[in-house]
Amino acid sequence: MKSIKPIYGQDYAPGFSIFTRGSGIISDGISWFESLYEASGFTPTHVLLVINMTLGIECSIGGVKIVPLKKYFDDHMCEVVCREPIELKQKYVDQILTHANSKLGYEYDYSSYVGYLAMLVTRLVDVIPFLRKLRLPFSNTGEYVCSTFVADSYKHSKLYSNIPLFREW
């Protein structure tokens, strides 16, 4: 991971993922849960797709929407990491962003946190490994959290359609 904050309008391009880690009780909670599975030392609490040098598309509270990227770069309490997917070409960027834009207005899946918490607390996935292959309990079909929205958008390009992008719980 980069050790310095990327420069707004420079260190990313359309189709890149921007990972952020904000401050506050919700971000701290997400970061703590993520740290149980992450070994890099950077535990993002949000991810979005870059549309162009000024706009991104994300799924957050309020659903899937287009947002100014500047809000993340201007927030001095927000860590930002930009990542270019392997072998990303313009034709794949078009496929990824076309799919992402088709999801504008889709709802945020608040209920998946209940399922994630239930799986974490009960540790059923450790006892019954097959559960890792199933959808999280209480998760609503057709709704997203930020990471599933970005992964689903990448999966709708020919380049990443056969690559497992969803984490097993």
Side-chain angles (χ1 to χ4, degrees):
M1 294 290 178
K2 288 186 176 184
S3 60
I4 59 171
K5 191 169 187 168
I7 299 170
Y8 175 75
Q10 265 184 245
D11 293 332
Y12 54 88
F16 279 41
S17 293
I18 293 183
F19 296 89
T20 67
R21 180 166 195 265
S23 61
I25 192 164
I26 293 174
S27 288
D28 290 345
I30 293 170
S31 180
W32 180 80
F33 280 121
E34 289 295 320
S35 71
L36 300 175
Y37 300 97
E38 186 62 47
S40 72
F42 175 76
T43 51
T45 58
H46 188 57
V47 62
L48 62 145
L49 285 170
V50 174
I51 295 173
N52 58 41
M53 300 313 277
T54 60
L55 296 174
I57 186 166
E58 68 180 8
C59 185
S60 63
I61 294 172
V64 178
K65 59 188 174 267
I66 294 175
V67 295
L69 296 175
K70 199 155 182 54
K71 78 178 197 173
Y72 295 107
F73 285 86
D74 286 350
D75 182 349
H76 69 281
M77 297 297 289
C78 184
E79 295 177 66
V80 177
V81 173
C82 303
R83 285 288 170 245
E84 177 181 10
I86 296 171
E87 299 181 22
L88 187 66
K89 305 272 189 284
Q90 187 58 49
K91 67 181 177 179
Y92 303 125
V93 170
D94 293 341
Q95 293 167 357
I96 293 162
L97 294 179
T98 295
H99 179 76
N101 280 303
S102 76
K103 301 300 180 184
L104 283 169
Y106 273 57
E107 295 295 321
Y108 188 79
D109 187 9
Y110 299 97
S111 62
S112 67
Y113 288 112
V114 175
Y116 182 63
L117 188 58
M119 293 295 269
L120 188 67
V121 169
T122 62
R123 303 302 290 178
L124 283 174
V125 294
D126 294 336
V127 179
I128 309 169
F130 177 75
L131 291 176
R132 294 179 187 272
K133 304 286 183 198
L134 302 177
R135 185 174 185 80
L136 275 175
F138 308 110
S139 175
N140 291 325
T141 303
E143 294 181 356
Y144 296 101
V145 294
C146 62
S147 56
T148 57
F149 169 70
V150 170
D152 186 51
S153 296
Y154 283 127
K155 293 282 292 175
H156 280 80
S157 71
K158 289 184 181 177
L159 179 62
Y160 303 112
S161 62
N162 293 318
I163 298 174
L165 297 176
F166 294 100
R167 176 181 8 185
E168 294 180 351
W169 301 98

